[in-house]
Amino acid sequence: MSKSPRNRTLTVTQSECDYYLNFCKTLKKSVSVDDIKNSIIYGDIYDVVDLLPSSFVSLLILDPPYNLNKVFSSTKFKVLSDREYYSYVDSWLSKLIRLLLPNASIYVCGDWRNSLVLQEVLQKYFIIRNRITWEREKGRGALKNWKNCSEDIWFCTVSNTYTFNVNSVKLKRRVFAPYRENGLPKDWNQVGEERFRVTYPSNLWTDITVPFWSMAENTVHPTQKPEKLIAKLILASSNEGDIVLDPFLGSGTTAVVAKKLNRCYVGVEREKIYAALAQKRLLAVNSNKIQGYIDGVFLDRNMR
């Protein structure tokens, strides 16, 4: 079946998959930072982690399988008990600590079902700074429950010394009831008909648009994170030239955004199709454009 002309969802054919995998790395022995910087590693994090160098990561972004029944290409994740999920997270998180710089930051994605488990295992190793909740905008309705349309991101650091570029992640919000003083805007701005206020970021994000079929960043990955969401994490908690690691890279959003924002990246992905998708996206990057991020500020959803 052919796609609608407006359907921009990125896919890869089998031949493309083989082609793009040639640009990925596979590890058989220990490597240096220069060996893997700005690379996608095709492999399982359990097999790869012991081959990676120590103390090279400034920002760790983790989007592991949530504790749900989910199919990721050839891999099926089945719901675990809370204790089993704790052990699963701990099994790879404990190995990643060695890779982090003393001033590194960590973000871990989850949802309400596993959020308390994530908190428990994260506080074992890191300083928990905050829990971000973002509105996913999508979600099926429920007859006997509240519609589930939010997810969490836990923000942690290795130490009390860490990067947080607050001025890089301010939000431009529309002003609906503008207050004036002596006829002039008070605490807000006006450009033409547009009335807005640039505000400090909070831990409640309602400005995120989940990729959908007519967006160029959309792929066939079932749990793809928006570029705008990852851009906030990278801008806030890293500087240009820093290395961002994503051990569950999926369709490559973290690597793509890192490249657009002049950071270095290392991604690990075990599924052949997703590693190829990620590489295809990376090779197609020809600008620093990120939906919803203009002139150094993030825009409210559907603002432009």
Side-chain angles (χ1 to χ4, degrees):
M1 179 182 290
S2 61
K3 294 192 299 183
S4 162
R6 292 181 58 204
N7 189 340
R8 305 172 71 185
T9 301
L10 191 68
T11 61
V12 286
T13 64
Q14 183 58 56
S15 60
E16 284 182 313
C17 196
D18 294 335
Y19 170 76
Y20 287 112
L21 278 179
N22 290 325
F23 294 93
C24 299
K25 294 184 182 294
T26 55
L27 302 189
K28 302 297 182 183
K29 60 181 181 179
S30 297
V31 292
S32 69
V33 175
D34 289 339
D35 291 330
I36 57 171
K37 187 164 36 175
N38 295 327
S39 297
I40 293 175
I41 299 168
Y42 174 42
D44 192 305
I45 187 58
Y46 288 108
D47 300 327
V48 166
V49 65
D50 291 335
L51 303 178
L52 298 176
S54 299
S55 304
F56 76 102
V57 175
S58 295
L59 175 58
L60 175 62
I61 295 179
L62 293 159
D63 186 15
Y66 295 0
N67 197 12
L68 302 166
N69 291 320
K70 201 76 178 179
V71 177
F72 299 94
S73 188
S74 65
T75 303
K76 293 182 179 179
F77 193 92
K78 294 185 177 181
V79 172
L80 306 171
S81 69
D82 283 353
R83 288 300 89 198
E84 289 171 331
Y85 192 72
Y86 177 100
S87 297
Y88 163 72
V89 174
D90 190 73
S91 68
W92 43 258
L93 186 65
S94 59
K95 292 179 175 292
L96 293 169
I97 296 168
R98 176 183 62 84
L99 315 182
L100 302 176
L101 289 164
N103 63 341
S105 295
I106 303 95
Y107 289 95
V108 187
C109 300
D111 72 353
W112 68 270
R113 293 178 184 84
N114 60 326
S115 204
L116 294 180
V117 174
L118 289 177
Q119 180 183 16
E120 186 179 355
V121 67
L122 287 169
Q123 66 188 10
K124 179 179 174 182
Y125 300 112
F126 306 120
I127 301 169
I128 296 179
R129 298 286 171 185
N130 213 326
R131 184 183 69 180
I132 299 161
T133 298
W134 65 280
E135 186 182 17
R136 197 177 61 227
E137 190 182 19
K138 294 181 179 179
R140 297 176 180 175
L143 293 177
K144 296 184 178 181
N145 203 341
W146 306 103
K147 176 181 174 180
N148 181 27
C149 61
S150 69
E151 295 187 15
D152 293 331
I153 305 174
W154 288 93
F155 168 39
C156 310
T157 61
V158 172
S159 68
N160 285 319
T161 301
Y162 60 97
T163 297
F164 196 80
N165 302 311
V166 69
N167 289 322
S168 298
V169 285
K170 289 186 175 179
L171 179 64
K172 185 177 182 181
R173 291 191 177 276
R174 284 166 288 197
V175 175
F176 295 102
Y179 178 74
R180 295 180 184 271
E181 190 173 78
N182 299 321
L184 298 175
K186 181 176 175 59
D187 298 327
W188 56 278
N189 300 286
Q190 182 164 359
V191 177
E193 295 298 316
E194 187 178 48
R195 297 169 176 175
F196 62 90
R197 178 182 292 112
V198 177
T199 66
Y200 276 80
S202 76
N203 62 355
L204 179 61
W205 296 358
T206 59
D207 60 303
I208 303 297
T209 298
V210 176
F212 54 90
W213 59 274
S214 65
M215 293 175 64
E217 69 180 81
N218 193 47
T219 76
V220 293
H221 193 281
T223 60
Q224 179 183 350
K225 292 296 185 289
E227 289 187 13
K228 184 180 184 183
L229 182 148
I230 299 299
K232 291 190 178 198
L233 309 182
I234 290 177
L235 284 167
S237 296
S238 69
N239 298 307
E240 290 192 4
D242 285 349
I243 296 179
V244 182
L245 171 66
D246 187 337
F248 301 92
L249 186 62
S251 64
T253 300
T254 296
V256 167
V257 175
K259 183 176 181 179
K260 289 184 176 183
L261 298 177
N262 299 315
R263 274 67 171 175
C264 300
Y265 60 86
V266 177
V268 182
E269 177 51 45
R270 62 180 290 178
E271 291 293 337
K272 181 177 180 180
I273 185 174
Y274 302 146
L277 267 174
Q279 194 65 64
K280 184 175 182 177
R281 290 177 69 189
L282 275 169
L283 293 175
V285 172
N286 57 13
S287 75
N288 60 359
K289 183 178 180 180
I290 294 170
Q291 183 275 331
Y293 178 66
I294 297 176
D295 296 331
V297 293
F298 290 93
L299 307 184
D300 246 344
R301 182 188 292 153
N302 302 326
M303 193 170 183
R304 190 180 307 174

